[in-house]
Amino acid sequence: MDNVYDVIVIGGGGAGVMAAAAAAEAGARTAILCKEPVGYGNTRMSVGMAACADIDQDSRQHFIEDIMKSGEGLSNRQLVETLVDDSRKAMAFLEKFGHTFIRNKDGQLSGDVISRAGGHTHPRTLRSSGSGIGMGQALRSATEKYNIHRIEDTAALSILKEKDRVYGVRVLDLATSLEYELAASAVVLATGGGGWLFYPQTTNNRGSCGDGYVLAYHAGAKLMDMEQIQAIPFGITHPSAYRGLICGEPFVTGPAGRVLDGQGNVVLEEGMNRLGRAEVVRAMASPIQEGRTTRDGGLLLDMEPNLYHPKGSQHRDQIMATGITATVLTAYGKKAYNWEEPWSVLPTVHFFMGGVHVDNNTTSHIPNLFAAGEVMGGVNGGNRLGSVALTEILVFGLRAGQAAASYAKRNQVRQKTNLEKRQSPLIDSDGKNRPVLLCQRLQKLMWQHAGLMRSREGLFKALKAVKELKKEAQDLRISNEKVYNSALRDAIELHFMLEAAELVLNAALLREESRGAHIRSDFPEKGGANWEKNTLLWKDSNGKLAHLLREVPK
Ligand SMILES: Cc1cc2nc3c(=O)[nH]c(=O)nc-3n(C[C@H](O)[C@H](O)[C@H](O)COP(=O)(O)OP(=O)(O)OC[C@H]3O[C@@H](n4cnc5c(N)ncnc54)[C@H](O)[C@@H]3O)c2cc1C
């Protein structure tokens, strides 16, 4: 039957395509469904830098310990070890589809083509030819090679479940506004993160609305560390169309870069290039909160001292080669791009460290529901090291596809799905509220109360406001246009975003300390070993949100 698969992968970024390709290679009849074209997502927007094991003088142990240290006590060691041990294999798998990591003149991944990204003790970061776009193209060609059924412009609405197993996905075709069901023996979630909850203060693309967390939650999976949301310290503040775009991170600042407040006082001295993202953001949060900012609410990143530093110009050449500062040229002009003028910068939401709780094979609490990539939790704890996300999506995408195919081989789906296609019930709704305006109110609220700095009072305020927005979201205005009705997509994403916001806010209330990316003004200190615990959230048998603080597995 047309709508029955061994494996359905939800999400067509790097993790999703790796999973689909691995499942298809293992002989599974595989479909990949995505709101966007396959090969897009944050993966395509990325700089394409990926940390890899076995490079030059690096060792397995150093790589593992760097990630563990960066995670501030919350990373799962077994997942981290797997990421390191499988990294070479996963990158070779991607290169089969035409992607290339840049090599030296002898064709080796070695020497000065390898970068040392911030917080890494050794150079181990590979650069991609064609950056994230090159990666996206290769991923798309992987789906051609394996004859994977691509179902694009289609959003997963819910995961179908009976007893303790999932058996398919209910979807909405955004091109026609028709809903229908697909059956599968195993489902892989690869829906990416939730940075769009904070737009415009995010580097993420519009598809990152946190759908996967909500799909997993309602299917009965557990979520972990949802409060740990990384902001990258240096985002553009103006013009408004550029707000939130990444223009650098700690290692970019070189040996002599500094951060100043709006009055020119030093916030961060030279040498911050060796700090992690969370440490730099923590230092920037107070002056921003106290209003010691530039006119547009940012701080100043002064790169000029590098021009007089003995190692400054060599560093500048390396940074320019990554393309990470390209936005500075168009936003702030040539002088700033040449490091002769400071850049106005504000931290911008970048990555969800938390997510679906999975084991080493990416299995969630449901035996045939898997999760890989940014939607999974466990690897990065409280703070992700630069260039580890792409490694994570490749490694765990591959594992998820293999595990899902193996499950499907042993257990074929028996439940019947509804073959009937019916128009979305939201089409032609004549309520009061435009979904996009409710989205904007939610995003503002989330940046204000769950963005840089949080407090019990602010989090409760936000939860109350989300409850109100949920009521208003029951009364939407959506036209009767059936072809690519943008308000319909807004409405679907609004519902996911409202629920994802509640998950984030509840997890943030649980952690009464400041750790990693989670900064509480009412609990400004790190809570010690007592707080080296993961926050877990799930839906209990009465349909209510349940939570637990659990020791991090050693
Ligand atoms: C600007 C930028 C630069 C970055 N640079 C780097 C870097 O150089 N190195 C690094 O390690 N990391 C980097 N990252 C982080 C990294 O790119 C991401 O964490 C990673 O690409 C996520 O991959 P993914 O496959 O999990 O999700 P994505 O690539 O985001 O793919 C998820 C897909 O799922 C789709 N989807 C979501 N919900 C649904 C639904 N309900 N139904 C159907 N489809 C759905 C989305 O539309 C999307 O296409 C960067 C991120 C950004 C934003």
Side-chain angles (χ1 to χ4, degrees):
M1 265 196 308
D2 249 10
N3 75 333
V4 182
Y5 298 91
D6 295 323
V7 175
I8 290 180
V9 178
I10 308 175
V17 177
M18 288 293 279
E25 193 178 63
R29 179 171 145 78
T30 305
I32 185 163
L33 77 93
C34 192
K35 297 195 282 198
E36 302 174 276
V38 167
Y40 279 67
N42 279 346
T43 304
R44 196 182 186 91
M45 289 176 70
S46 77
V47 183
M49 298 178 74
C52 184
D54 303 328
I55 302 287
D56 295 333
Q57 318 312 325
D58 195 12
S59 76
R60 172 182 189 267
Q61 212 48 36
H62 284 136
F63 193 177
I64 291 169
E65 293 314 322
D66 285 354
I67 300 176
M68 293 300 294
K69 181 168 172 239
S70 174
E72 300 198 22
L74 300 183
S75 297
N76 177 308
R77 183 171 284 277
Q78 198 191 12
L79 291 178
V80 173
E81 287 177 357
T82 300
L83 175 134
V84 170
D85 291 340
D86 284 8
S87 57
R88 275 267 173 172
K89 185 174 73 182
M91 292 192 198
F93 189 81
L94 176 66
E95 286 196 317
K96 283 203 307 196
F97 312 117
H99 184 67
T100 39
F101 289 105
I102 295 169
R103 287 166 163 77
N104 68 11
K105 61 181 181 349
D106 304 320
Q108 303 300 315
L109 293 170
S110 165
D112 59 10
V113 294
I114 308 297
S115 301
R116 180 176 163 193
H120 291 268
T121 54
H122 287 69
R124 59 172 74 101
T125 294
L126 315 186
R127 298 204 309 266
S128 290
S129 170
S131 69
I133 298 175
M135 200 174 271
Q137 293 297 86
L139 289 166
R140 213 177 153 78
S141 79
T143 60
E144 306 274 349
K145 178 175 161 128
Y146 286 112
N147 207 12
I148 293 163
H149 189 184
R150 283 197 307 253
I151 308 172
E152 298 178 299
D153 288 339
T154 299
L157 298 177
S158 61
I159 293 179
L160 306 171
K161 189 178 170 208
E162 193 176 277
K163 296 196 181 123
D164 63 343
R165 297 287 192 275
V166 302
Y167 67 91
V169 188
R170 181 155 191 88
V171 302
L172 169 69
D173 181 342
L174 296 163
T176 59
S177 303
L178 292 175
E179 287 186 10
Y180 60 98
E181 293 180 354
L182 299 167
S185 305
V187 174
V188 178
L189 273 172
T191 42
W196 203 249
L197 282 169
F198 299 88
Y199 177 82
Q201 210 53 47
T202 181
T203 62
N204 284 198
N205 88 348
R206 184 247 162 104
S208 309
C209 303
D211 307 13
Y213 308 120
V214 179
L215 290 168
Y217 174 76
H218 286 299
K222 286 189 173 153
L223 299 166
M224 64 187 292
D225 297 339
M226 287 299 292
E227 76 285 2
Q228 294 294 350
I229 300 172
Q230 179 172 75
I232 213 152
F234 308 128
I236 299 270
T237 61
H238 65 274
S240 60
Y242 277 65
R243 196 175 172 94
L245 293 182
I246 187 171
C247 63
E249 55 171 310
F251 81 90
V252 164
T253 61
R258 308 174 306 162
V259 173
L260 311 173
D261 70 12
Q263 289 83 50
N265 304 307
V266 176
V267 174
L268 278 154
E269 294 281 3
E270 59 179 49
M272 72 177 134
N273 57 338
R274 292 284 166 252
L275 300 181
R277 292 168 176 173
E279 284 167 288
V280 174
V281 170
R282 278 202 293 267
M284 293 170 73
S286 296
I288 292 169
Q289 202 76 0
E290 290 157 15
R292 292 192 278 124
T293 61
T294 57
R295 260 185 315 153
D296 37 52
L299 299 178
L300 293 167
L301 176 57
D302 180 16
M303 301 287 276
E304 193 176 9
N306 280 306
L307 300 178
Y308 313 110
H309 190 280
K311 290 193 175 151
S313 66
Q314 184 198 353
H315 170 71
R316 190 167 179 278
D317 292 345
Q318 281 173 356
I319 294 304
M320 291 303 175
T322 67
I324 195 170
T325 61
T327 41
V328 174
L329 180 61
T330 34
Y332 299 152
K334 216 166 176 179
K335 272 195 146 184
Y337 185 63
N338 289 335
W339 299 8
E340 291 159 6
E341 265 179 10
W343 313 344
S344 175
V345 290
L346 186 62
T348 179
V349 173
H350 188 57
F351 184 85
F352 274 46
M353 267 82 63
V356 183
H357 183 274
V358 290
D359 69 11
N360 210 26
N361 285 320
T362 76
T363 317
S364 71
H365 282 75
I366 300 154
N368 61 342
L369 178 64
F370 304 84
E374 193 170 333
V375 75
M376 68 182 263
V379 171
N380 299 294
N383 180 45
R384 172 171 76 74
L385 280 181
S387 73
V388 167
L390 292 180
T391 317
E392 180 181 10
I393 66 173
L394 300 177
V395 165
F396 290 102
L398 195 54
R399 284 179 93 85
Q402 287 163 346
S406 156
Y407 180 94
K409 226 174 240 169
R410 289 174 280 117
N411 308 273
Q412 280 296 304
V413 64
R414 284 182 218 289
Q415 286 88 345
K416 293 241 174 333
T417 50
N418 188 349
L419 280 175
E420 184 202 346
K421 290 194 173 187
R422 63 165 193 143
Q423 186 181 294
S424 164
L426 290 171
I427 283 285
D428 205 9
S429 300
D430 60 356
K432 278 206 296 287
N433 303 307
R434 284 182 60 204
V436 70
L437 297 183
L438 299 188
C439 280
Q440 285 168 7
R441 279 168 53 197
L442 175 67
Q443 288 159 332
K444 207 166 161 196
L445 187 79
M446 287 301 282
W447 176 243
Q448 189 182 353
H449 295 297
L452 273 191
M453 215 181 250
R454 299 151 174 187
S455 69
R456 185 181 156 82
E457 193 195 343
L459 292 167
F460 271 118
K461 229 185 231 171
L463 271 172
K464 199 167 156 219
V466 170
K467 217 169 160 190
E468 282 305 311
L469 282 169
K470 274 181 132 177
K471 272 192 212 145
E472 293 183 56
Q474 297 308 312
D475 188 26
L476 294 179
R477 186 160 86 235
I478 300 170
S479 76
N480 64 0
E481 173 61 62
K482 296 184 190 63
V483 179
Y484 285 111
N485 185 330
S486 62
L488 178 61
R489 176 169 174 180
D490 291 339
I492 299 299
E493 291 181 334
L494 170 67
H495 289 297
F496 279 126
M497 285 166 67
L498 285 165
E499 291 205 63
E502 285 183 325
L503 293 168
V504 168
L505 295 168
N506 276 294
L509 270 170
L510 278 180
R511 188 170 292 286
E512 294 187 330
E513 61 155 356
S514 293
R515 180 184 298 268
H518 172 73
I519 312 173
R520 289 275 301 250
S521 58
D522 46 354
F523 296 98
E525 304 300 327
K526 196 180 260 190
N530 241 354
W531 276 98
E532 283 190 6
K533 291 182 176 154
N534 299 122
T535 57
L536 288 185
L537 302 177
W538 69 98
K539 188 157 108 171
D540 72 13
S541 51
N542 299 316
K544 291 246 174 334
L545 179 79
H547 57 77
L548 178 76
L549 279 161
R550 182 210 60 172
E551 296 288 336
V552 178
K554 296 292 170 211

